Amino acid sequence: MARPHTPILSEARILEAVRRLAVDGDFTLAQLARELDVRVSSIYHHVASKGAIVHLLRRDWILRLRTELGDSAGRERLSRIVHSYAEFAGEIPALVPILITEPFQDDELRWLYEDLAQTLHDIGVPDTRLLPLIGTIDAIVLGAAFDLLAPPFHASEVSPETHPRLTAALATLPEDVDRREHLHSTLDDLLAGLLRGYSAHTSS
Amino acid sequence: MARPHTPILSEARILEAVRRLAVDGDFTLAQLARELDVRVSSIYHHVASKGAIVHLLRRDWILRLRTELGDSAGRERLSRIVHSYAEFAGEIPALVPILITEPFQDDELRWLYEDLAQTLHDIGVPDTRLLPLIGTIDAIVLGAAFDLLAPPFHASEVSPETHPRLTAALATLPEDVDRREHLHSTLDDLLAGLLRGYSAHTSS
DNA sequence: ACCTGAACACCGTTCAAGT
DNA sequence: ACCTGAACACCGTTCAAGT
């Protein structure tokens, strides 16, 4: 088969497949092609590169976020952005390194940064602190998402004699820990810590 | 030349070269071999794999940390551990993904986790919160270090009309921002936020 | 326009051959 | 024991060939 009568692939179909794959572990174009039942080279008719796929995923997320945010403002808006960001990154932890390393700066990302800057400004953060704070938030969210890939400690690997406190901590662990849930529950704590001392502006 | 009279390589020499290379950007065995003036295959006589190299770097760091910590305790000890960890990770951001992804759990790492658990316990953190908190600290430090690789925003890429607040923020940016320094200055804020509400135990 | 197969440069890893 | 060269499987990317 060469060109089919009706196209097999599309940007949308590729992104769906990526989302299905990238949740757990590594993500290669070979895997993606298998998932889509095409050859690897076919993918390049729809996306420019592996990095571009991640870029498209993020663009998609920002567009959705934009409508969801509505006209919320201040700490409420910030919290929504950060949690949504964490959810997005938590879905594709294996792609986070690409997200960090490759310098894709499209209009959507600039919009997000402007919105974050404006929201933080409204909360009372001075201009000099805006970029450092945005960088910190970025690092926390991406770091936490990426950390989802880390293998958790297993009780059998520590002995009560040499690691008493670790053993005690492991003993309190429930059967099924939802690490994604924990990620969310931690974010507001961190944000509260970062924003302590700032008080709201009256106008923007 | 086959086997030289006196060995060219050693674990120590390899780790030195890695530290020289991994500071900025990617790290391949080909680069490492060039830096050491040997062939790639020679490296395998001294380390088992690329991942093992990162593992050795971390082991080295933990051993140094151990002596530096002395008998400090409580929040002071925690702060020292975290800052030292950030410094270590900040030196080798390109290797952070390997550090997170590969499940190397040696005696040194277990010692570090036990020490963290004990230190947090002394600060007043209940057993149920120890592992989540350690995970969060890990994510923050590694995320922040990895984020050092991200390309920073450049003023020329945003327009004052569409991104007024981002433009204002960029205008306050000094010529040479030391992102590593900022990493450090943020960590204590985050720790304070995470540990708010806990009060010290009387005994361990 | 869109799918394929073959080729490319690069990656980490293995191993027989040499001293 | 330790360095080398050649081979391997895998990776992302390119491109001429087919419809």
Side-chain angles (χ1 to χ4, degrees):
Chain A
M1 167 182 43
R3 175 156 102 98
H5 294 91
T6 138
I8 300 175
L9 291 181
S10 69
E11 206 176 276
R13 284 210 58 205
I14 290 174
L15 295 189
E16 283 170 35
V18 172
R19 274 186 270 255
R20 253 176 282 139
L21 283 176
V23 184
D24 38 29
D26 51 16
F27 157 65
T28 66
L29 294 185
Q31 283 178 325
L32 179 59
R34 209 180 308 123
E35 175 79 15
L36 288 163
D37 206 33
V38 295
R39 305 292 152 182
V40 175
S41 52
S42 310
I43 297 172
Y44 283 86
H45 287 281
H46 301 268
V47 293
S49 68
K50 187 181 178 181
I53 294 178
V54 193
H55 159 245
L56 288 172
L57 280 173
R58 187 181 56 191
R59 200 203 50 179
D60 247 35
W61 161 67
I62 296 179
L63 291 177
R64 264 182 288 122
L65 171 69
R66 209 162 168 167
T67 67
E68 286 168 13
L69 282 177
D71 57 355
S72 61
R75 285 172 191 254
E76 160 74 13
R77 186 179 186 88
L78 179 66
S79 176
R80 283 203 208 174
I81 294 175
V82 170
H83 283 279
S84 176
Y85 190 21
E87 207 141 310
F88 163 64
E91 289 285 326
I92 52 157
L95 305 184
V96 165
I98 297 176
L99 214 52
I100 293 179
T101 299
E102 304 210 10
F104 281 125
Q105 296 191 351
D106 51 26
D107 282 345
E108 286 73 23
L109 187 62
R110 273 187 286 270
W111 173 86
L112 177 63
Y113 274 69
E114 171 66 18
D115 200 87
L116 268 174
Q118 183 60 50
T119 304
L120 288 170
H121 171 77
D122 291 346
I123 290 172
V125 177
D127 285 349
T128 48
R129 301 296 306 148
L130 288 179
L131 289 177
L133 209 46
I134 290 175
T136 300
I137 291 172
D138 211 52
I140 290 173
V141 172
L142 294 182
F146 194 31
D147 209 53
L148 290 173
L149 291 180
F153 257 104
H154 214 53
S156 59
E157 291 160 351
V158 301
S159 77
E161 291 80 30
T162 48
H163 311 99
R165 193 52 57 189
L166 207 48
T167 304
L170 280 164
T172 70
L173 223 54
E175 283 294 297
D176 259 342
V177 240
D178 188 342
R179 301 170 87 184
R180 265 165 246 273
E181 201 175 311
H182 168 249
L183 193 162
H184 279 292
S185 78
T186 310
L187 283 177
D188 281 320
D189 284 358
L190 290 168
L191 281 182
L194 283 173
L195 298 179
R196 203 159 11 137
Y198 296 123
S199 66
H201 272 214
T202 34
S203 80
S204 67
Chain B
M1 164 183 44
R3 174 155 100 100
H5 294 91
T6 139
I8 301 176
L9 292 180
S10 70
E11 207 176 273
R13 284 210 57 205
I14 290 174
L15 295 189
E16 283 170 35
V18 172
R19 273 185 271 256
R20 253 175 283 138
L21 284 176
V23 184
D24 38 29
D26 51 16
F27 157 65
T28 65
L29 294 184
Q31 285 178 323
L32 180 57
R34 209 179 308 124
E35 175 79 16
L36 288 162
D37 206 32
V38 295
R39 304 292 150 180
V40 175
S41 53
S42 310
I43 297 171
Y44 283 86
H45 284 100
H46 301 267
V47 293
S49 67
K50 188 182 178 182
I53 295 177
V54 193
H55 161 243
L56 288 172
L57 280 173
R58 186 180 57 191
R59 199 203 51 180
D60 247 37
W61 161 66
I62 297 179
L63 291 176
R64 264 181 289 122
L65 171 69
R66 209 163 170 167
T67 67
E68 287 168 14
L69 283 177
D71 56 357
S72 60
R75 285 172 190 254
E76 159 75 15
R77 187 180 186 88
L78 179 66
S79 176
R80 282 203 208 175
I81 294 175
V82 171
H83 283 279
S84 177
Y85 189 21
E87 206 142 312
F88 163 64
E91 289 285 326
I92 53 159
L95 305 185
V96 165
I98 298 176
L99 213 52
I100 293 179
T101 298
E102 304 211 10
F104 281 124
Q105 295 190 354
D106 51 26
D107 283 345
E108 284 75 22
L109 187 62
R110 273 188 285 271
W111 174 86
L112 177 63
Y113 273 69
E114 171 67 18
D115 200 87
L116 268 174
Q118 183 60 50
T119 304
L120 288 170
H121 170 78
D122 291 345
I123 290 172
V125 177
D127 284 350
T128 49
R129 300 296 306 150
L130 289 179
L131 288 177
L133 209 47
I134 290 175
T136 300
I137 291 172
D138 211 52
I140 290 173
V141 172
L142 294 182
F146 194 30
D147 207 54
L148 291 173
L149 291 181
F153 257 105
H154 215 51
S156 60
E157 291 159 352
V158 301
S159 76
E161 290 81 28
T162 48
H163 311 98
R165 192 52 58 189
L166 207 48
T167 305
L170 280 164
T172 70
L173 223 56
E175 283 294 299
D176 259 342
V177 240
D178 189 341
R179 301 170 87 184
R180 263 164 246 273
E181 201 175 310
H182 167 247
L183 193 162
H184 278 292
S185 78
T186 309
L187 283 176
D188 281 321
D189 285 357
L190 289 167
L191 281 182
L194 283 173
L195 297 179
R196 205 165 3 146
Y198 297 123
S199 66
H201 271 213
T202 34
S203 83
S204 68

